[in-house]
Amino acid sequence: MTENLNLFTSTQVVIKEALDKLGYDEGMYDLLKEPIRMVEVRIPVRMDDGKVKVFTGFRGQHNDAVGPTKGGVRFHPGVSADEVRALSMWMTLKAGIVDLPYGGGKGGIICDPREMSMHELESLSRGYVRALSQVMGPTKDIPAPDVFTNAQIMAWMMDEYSRIDEFNSPGFITGKPIVLGGSQGRDRATAEGVTIIINEAAKKRNIDMKGARIVIQGFGNAGSFLSKFLHDAGAKVIGISDAYGALHDPEGLDIDYLLDRRDSFGTVTTLFDNTISNSELLELDCDILVPAAIENQITEKNAHDIKARIVVEAANGPTTSEATKILTERGILLVPDVLASAGGVTVSYFEWVQNNMGYYWTEEEVREKMTKKMVDAFENVYNVSSTRNIDMRLAAYMIGIRKTAEASRFRGWA
Ligand SMILES: NC(=O)C1=CN([C@@H]2O[C@H](COP(=O)(O)OP(=O)(O)OC[C@H]3O[C@@H](n4cnc5c(N)ncnc54)[C@H](O)[C@@H]3O)[C@@H](O)[C@H]2O)C=CC1
Ligand SMILES: O=C(O)CCC(=O)C(=O)O
């Protein structure tokens, strides 16, 4: 039988397992097995050649029993309705794991921003907000950056919503430029959170981070900041990649040079001749492997060939359920996405809180608050995994879904 690569249906299986272990009935699963709202929109954009092109976009809102839904918007050719459904469910889990007063949301537009001009991207970003403004807002559903979206796109979206709302609405979106109410540290928060988790995981496996050999798939917001933090802390980043290929140097790559040369879409390997493929990268001999790009990268086909002792998922959904089983059986510590990458939404929450207060924290204050949430979350998930003898993913799902399930029960929704 071929393995299930559908992110949505494979997520449903783990949600069911987590709810069963927590003692919830079929009615609760029926409520939480898919988003409460899933919207598909068509966004016309006049392209630079004068012709109108119509793009398809989505927004999934998994559950808002705890509070407004929250999660990023990605611009990528591979976006699909099922991908957005799964991503919105994972946001509910992240919010539960780091204890934020949110449910999960996520959005996406099928497009390739690498082939679009700034003007086209601005029209598309504004069109997305116009199409969805009735179901989004600072107390309803709060977007943020994800794959191939950035602070500039957040700024256009915030400006468009502020025009519709007839009010300056910084709390509409997070990941904004600092001058528009962005939080100190949001740009590096996902990577900082992953770094904290890697340090905690390394302690559990007695790996000294000084000199530890690291491989990172993806050199965008998550992967590039991460490579810098680990390199500066004395680890040896021996492999990195982007959508076009990968670089490997067993002695450690020159990270500062690569950061200097990468473009705004996290591309750098195209400048080199001696590249390897993304699949070769994943199988390199190393201590810690960090998938930080896209989904379904570690599957039953390559899970037996992964040589890392720890895999930390900075990307959403990089490891399939079958591969999770294989890695766990092989004794590899797999730290799941819903825990490892929760630093981004944590600082997004801090951004929204600061917008609501109109009072702003220093970078140190933000880092201190985020570090506490991430360390506590790691310990909680690790302990549930050890005491119940279950993998870290299932443990994380149990912790992540509990708050939303409880809030739904109190509201009488299940
Ligand atoms: N930006 C954020 O705050 C957060 C991001 N994430 C997740 O981290 C992952 C990366 O996101 P960002 O760094 O924000 O995106 P980004 O757009 O900044 O960078 C994406 C990177 O992935 C590479 N990539 C794209 N398609 C690829 C393919 N087919 N094969 C190999 N590499 C490919 C790109 O070349 C680029 O280096 C995603 O799974 C995202 O959902 C998770 C939590 C928060
Ligand atoms: O910062 C946020 O609100 C959401 C980030 C996100 O989309 C994610 O964690 O996957």
Side-chain angles (χ1 to χ4, degrees):
M1 205 174 76
T2 52
E3 116 182 271
N4 180 8
L5 296 180
N6 181 302
L7 304 170
F8 172 51
T9 54
S10 57
T11 299
Q12 287 181 319
V13 174
V14 193
I15 296 238
K16 174 88 174 77
E17 218 177 323
L19 289 172
D20 285 349
K21 282 213 179 294
L22 290 167
Y24 287 104
D25 61 14
E26 201 56 37
M28 185 63 79
Y29 173 66
D30 197 34
L31 176 72
L32 298 179
K33 71 181 181 195
E34 56 188 290
I36 45 166
R37 180 183 280 137
M38 181 70 197
V39 186
E40 178 172 334
V41 291
R42 305 261 291 146
I43 310 158
V45 172
R46 187 161 304 278
M47 306 298 277
D48 292 348
D49 64 5
K51 296 196 182 113
V52 171
K53 186 166 171 183
V54 184
F55 293 86
T56 300
F58 305 95
R59 186 75 191 172
Q61 299 168 346
H62 177 229
N63 184 292
D64 61 357
V66 169
T69 48
K70 176 100 188 78
V73 183
R74 63 173 55 178
F75 286 5
H76 196 273
V79 166
S80 69
D82 271 0
E83 180 192 58
V84 169
R85 284 188 179 95
L87 284 160
S88 75
M89 290 156 88
W90 297 338
M91 289 311 303
T92 295
L93 299 168
K94 288 188 201 192
I97 289 166
V98 282
D99 195 16
L100 309 179
Y102 291 139
K106 197 87 180 199
I109 302 179
I110 305 170
C111 66
D112 193 341
R114 292 165 293 189
E115 291 170 2
M116 295 170 71
S117 69
M118 288 291 272
H119 176 254
E120 291 166 345
L121 275 176
E122 178 174 352
S123 301
L124 182 62
S125 307
R126 289 182 184 279
Y128 183 75
V129 171
R130 278 197 304 278
L132 287 162
S133 65
Q134 285 178 347
V135 293
M136 289 173 122
T139 56
K140 290 183 193 164
D141 180 26
I142 307 137
D146 193 65
V147 177
F148 293 162
T149 54
N150 54 28
Q152 174 62 77
I153 290 174
M154 300 306 108
W156 288 324
M157 289 187 173
M158 192 273 266
D159 185 64
E160 191 64 26
Y161 187 80
S162 296
R163 287 183 195 190
I164 295 166
D165 199 29
E166 295 179 354
F167 210 83
N168 188 33
S169 313
F172 165 69
I173 203 162
T174 59
K176 301 178 291 293
I178 302 275
V179 290
L180 292 181
S183 175
Q184 295 292 341
R186 175 60 186 89
D187 54 353
R188 63 203 61 196
T190 303
E192 238 163 36
V194 177
T195 307
I196 293 163
I197 295 295
I198 289 177
N199 284 326
E200 296 305 304
K203 284 185 216 157
K204 300 290 182 198
R205 286 290 193 266
N206 292 318
I207 294 176
D208 184 355
M209 286 307 293
K210 287 239 174 314
R213 294 162 310 148
I214 317 280
V215 169
I216 302 171
Q217 184 190 38
F219 208 56
N221 174 275
S224 69
F225 276 117
L226 180 64
S227 70
K228 175 73 177 153
F229 297 150
L230 296 176
H231 172 76
D232 288 353
K236 219 196 272 185
V237 181
I238 63 165
I240 63 104
S241 77
D242 58 30
Y244 306 95
L247 301 173
H248 175 220
D249 182 347
E251 298 310 316
L253 293 161
D254 184 346
I255 294 301
D256 288 322
Y257 176 75
L258 296 176
L259 289 171
D260 195 43
R261 302 301 307 276
R262 76 175 199 118
D263 73 9
S264 62
F265 294 108
T267 304
V268 73
T269 66
T270 45
L271 302 172
F272 298 85
D273 293 328
N274 52 341
T275 56
I276 59 173
S277 67
N278 259 288
S279 41
E280 287 169 313
L281 175 103
L282 296 171
E283 295 173 17
L284 287 174
D285 190 12
C286 64
D287 297 303
I288 300 169
L289 170 64
V290 188
I294 53 159
E295 301 94 14
N296 288 336
Q297 296 300 293
I298 307 178
T299 67
E300 64 178 4
K301 291 208 177 81
N302 61 359
H304 287 288
D305 300 314
I306 301 296
K307 298 183 187 64
R309 293 167 61 196
I310 300 178
V311 175
V312 176
E313 296 181 331
N316 282 301
T319 314
T320 63
S321 302
E322 201 50 48
T324 299
K325 269 196 212 112
I326 296 169
L327 296 181
T328 308
E329 275 161 19
R330 290 183 56 217
I332 295 170
L333 178 59
L334 173 63
V335 186
D337 45 9
V338 288
L339 165 62
S341 72
V345 68
T346 299
V347 177
S348 274
Y349 164 60
F350 296 154
E351 182 171 326
W352 179 76
V353 168
Q354 293 170 82
N355 294 151
N356 292 344
M357 290 191 295
Y359 177 77
Y360 289 83
W361 298 327
T362 62
E363 196 170 341
E364 288 66 38
E365 286 173 290
V366 170
R367 184 174 303 121
E368 195 185 316
K369 290 181 209 299
M370 195 258 270
T371 303
K372 175 157 177 34
K373 279 208 176 281
M374 294 303 287
V375 171
D376 289 353
F378 180 88
E379 274 311 310
N380 281 342
V381 175
Y382 192 84
N383 287 340
V384 170
S385 157
S386 308
T387 50
R388 294 214 177 211
N389 199 21
I390 54 178
D391 63 56
M392 291 271 282
R393 191 181 312 282
L394 181 55
Y397 272 53
M398 286 175 67
I399 293 171
I401 204 69
R402 194 190 329 235
K403 193 169 167 187
T404 287
E406 271 313 275
S408 299
R409 194 176 60 77
F410 274 121
R411 284 177 185 268
W413 292 356

